[in-house]
Amino acid sequence: MHMTLTINGQDHDVEAPAAALLVEVLRDTLGMTGTHIGCDTSQCGACNVLVDGKAVKSCTLLAAQAQGAAVTSIEGLANGDQLHPMQQAFREAHGLQCGFCTPGMVIAGLEIVRKHGTSLTPELVAHELEGNLCRCTGYINIIKAVVAGAAGMASLGESQHA
């Protein structure tokens, strides 16, 4: 099946089976391996991407369903060498350990900001991160990173990721 997908602001002409998942097209067809497949059951959140600004588990969306939408993967957040404030916060707060869940957690953090604004409490972030699994960190630094990332976004006047 031929489709045109807009990913990280660029149009991509893709040939993929009609049943291809968005995560498969991102990773296998386009080589964007920052989005991870972690569970094959849509429970872990490692495959989170933004679709029209909202976090979506890309293992639950057919690639064809993303036609006409703006998809942003972890690769599309930084501006050249300048990390997005949420990415920078994960780096500074050590909101990662092995790093496998980190791209999905960063996207989840952006979703939390989209839903609740930039003034976040650790309790709210902990609640909102349910459905995103990390097997290494115990979430303490991930929660700190999301709160700090939201504050960094606020300092730039960014209340949500475009």
Side-chain angles (χ1 to χ4, degrees), residues 2-156:
H2 178 79
M3 60 189 94
T4 301
L5 301 173
T6 304
I7 302 169
N8 301 328
Q10 295 185 327
D11 288 340
H12 296 271
D13 289 320
V14 175
E15 284 293 330
L21 299 171
L22 180 57
V23 69
E24 295 168 336
V25 169
L26 287 171
R27 292 182 59 79
D28 301 336
T29 305
L30 299 174
M32 296 180 189
T33 57
T35 302
H36 294 151
I37 301 171
C39 65
D40 290 328
T41 57
S42 77
Q43 295 179 21
C44 74
C47 67
N48 285 340
V49 297
L50 298 174
V51 177
D52 289 335
K54 295 180 182 178
V56 172
K57 292 180 179 179
S58 62
C59 73
T60 65
L61 187 70
L62 295 174
Q65 291 175 286
Q67 288 193 104
V71 177
T72 305
S73 69
I74 193 71
E75 291 92 345
L77 295 182
N79 184 6
D81 290 339
Q82 180 69 38
L83 294 177
H84 183 281
M86 190 64 71
Q87 291 173 302
Q88 186 64 33
F90 268 76
R91 182 178 183 180
E92 291 173 2
H94 196 64
L96 53 95
Q97 196 154 349
C98 80
F100 190 82
C101 72
T102 305
M105 290 290 187
V106 169
I107 298 291
L110 294 174
E111 177 69 6
I112 295 168
V113 170
R114 184 191 70 76
K115 286 172 58 177
H116 299 286
T118 55
S119 296
L120 303 176
T121 64
E123 295 79 18
L124 174 68
V125 172
H127 175 74
E128 288 291 326
L129 284 176
E130 290 180 7
N132 290 274
L133 300 178
C134 174
R135 292 174 175 95
C136 297
T137 68
Y139 298 91
I140 294 168
N141 289 344
I142 292 171
I143 292 167
K144 288 178 185 177
V146 172
V147 172
M153 290 170 70
S155 72
L156 296 176

